[in-house]
Amino acid sequence: MALEHAILVSLAERSASGYDLARRFDASIGHFWKASHQQIYKVLGRMESDGWVESQVVPQDGRPDKKVYVITDGGRAELVLFTSKATPPEHLRSEFAVKLRALPFGDAAAIVDDVRVRRRSHEQQLAYYADSAARFYPHPDDIPDHALGGWLVLRGGMLAEQAGIAWCDEILQRLAGDEDDER
Amino acid sequence: MALEHAILVSLAERSASGYDLARRFDASIGHFWKASHQQIYKVLGRMESDGWVESQVVPQDGRPDKKVYVITDGGRAELVLFTSKATPPEHLRSEFAVKLRALPFGDAAAIVDDVRVRRRSHEQQLAYYADSAARFYPHPDDIPDHALGGWLVLRGGMLAEQAGIAWCDEILQRLAGDEDDER
DNA sequence: TACGGCATGTAAATTGTTACATGATTGA
DNA sequence: TCAATCATGTAACAATTTACATGCCGTA
């Protein structure tokens, strides 16, 4: 049940409406924890009745009203509690791995195509992270404490994408004889 | 809905009871797709009514009867279909990343402890994979086609664990000044 | 006038987790 | 006798995804 905590972190950084949160989840935090707006609205409701957040309707002109959520002291306490407890071990969950394992029983050519697509999307994601890093953390050796978490998470994303690319390359070497040096 | 396919792959490799499958999911395939026995029994029932598998009760002596599931032609066709369709892009889902992001609002010392624990479990998992690799694929340059999928999946696991370790090291360097060279 | 962005939700279906339930055999 | 392993499940709950629903504003 980490969505609550992801939302708490996001609200601790800056108050926001459900809609804003949904967009943040598309952009930054969501690279590590996806959530749809439907889910966010539902969880926000529960969090409000738990006293972790409070909302206030803000009228806007030329736009629909928005319900801005603010983290409460209770919410901040919950965040401290969350960080102080050990994270349960996370396990990978990769449909792609299942597919690789299905290699002898399936369509090898299609799988190879899929690996190429996957490699490209890892590359794109890595480029995106590198871009974010350059934009938001121009001096990696001198990052203030309040921004360190964001940087470290970005680094985790970059390392994961690099590993993904390396994996795809190994697979292609085995399955496609590495006959493609495109671009 | 990849559990069905993970089970199909497992049954294509060798017929098994629900209990056997649950143990395989603990050991090999399950490193990339966890499933509890409860879930497996439920899905097996659905798969049988879909005609992907067939079951036969096998009496045993000194042990409870077992219901052995065998993949059908329909199941094999489904596997081919599965491999021929592009895998939807997978996104990471990391509670640990959420926690890192919570760094300025939480208990930094506890988070550092958690990173150390996490690093150790990555190392253990990597050692386990390396061991499996040495045991089942003693000649990595000469792997028969039918075993290639398993090898590639193992390699993916190893690369992911290495990336995880590298990430933990970066985090510790930033947060703990790298003052620990334990062992 | 049609589309995209802003803004908030409900409902249904699927998937996954946790707890409960049973009963035999084997080894410490 | 207690715990572990073998073996199969049901029930309740939580989490997630997909589909549906509404309505205003600005722009092409």
Side-chain angles (χ1 to χ4, degrees), chain B residues 14-37:
Chain B
R14 190 188 301 264
S15 299
S17 69
Y19 187 84
D20 294 333
L21 284 169
R23 275 188 315 169
R24 284 190 205 167
F25 271 80
D26 276 349
S28 64
I29 253 203
H31 292 305
F32 311 96
W33 201 279
K34 287 280 169 220
S36 60
H37 68 108

Side-chain angles (χ1 to χ4, degrees), chain A residues 80-168:
Chain A
V80 173
L81 205 68
F82 165 64
T83 56
S84 69
K85 277 188 297 202
T87 311
E90 290 163 15
H91 25 254
L92 307 181
R93 165 150 290 199
S94 171
E95 191 171 330
F96 180 68
V98 173
K99 211 172 181 181
L100 270 185
R101 198 68 187 256
L103 204 51
F105 314 110
D107 182 342
I111 293 177
V112 170
D113 285 348
D114 213 28
V115 178
R116 292 212 179 91
V117 170
R118 194 185 166 84
R119 191 193 189 282
R120 213 159 296 140
S121 76
H122 279 312
E123 257 180 354
Q124 277 164 16
Q125 197 58 40
L126 180 57
Y128 173 88
Y129 288 144
D131 191 64
S132 296
R135 195 198 311 268
F136 299 116
Y137 309 94
H139 305 293
D141 292 327
D142 194 30
I143 294 171
D145 280 1
H146 72 270
L148 199 50
W151 163 258
L152 291 172
V153 168
L154 247 191
R155 284 296 304 153
M158 292 168 93
L159 288 166
E161 298 302 331
Q162 282 164 359
I165 292 172
W167 191 22
C168 289

Side-chain angles (χ1 to χ4, degrees), chain A residues 10-88:
Chain A
S10 208
L11 290 179
E13 289 171 352
R14 190 188 301 264
S15 299
S17 68
Y19 187 84
D20 296 333
L21 284 169
R23 277 187 315 170
R24 284 190 205 165
F25 272 80
D26 276 349
S28 64
I29 253 202
H31 293 305
F32 311 96
W33 201 280
K34 288 278 170 224
S36 60
H37 67 108
Q38 294 92 332
Q39 218 185 328
I40 289 171
Y41 284 123
K42 209 193 299 178
V43 171
L44 276 173
R46 187 169 60 215
M47 289 169 76
E48 187 160 27
S49 59
D50 287 347
W52 294 359
V53 298
E54 275 168 5
S55 67
Q56 205 184 345
V57 175
V58 177
Q60 300 183 111
D61 45 76
R63 288 182 185 185
D65 294 355
K66 57 158 75 178
K67 214 169 164 185
V68 174
Y69 288 87
V70 180
I71 189 169
T72 62
D73 288 346
R76 289 190 185 272
E78 174 58 30
L79 257 190
V80 173
L81 205 68
F82 165 64
T83 56
S84 69
K85 277 188 297 202
T87 311

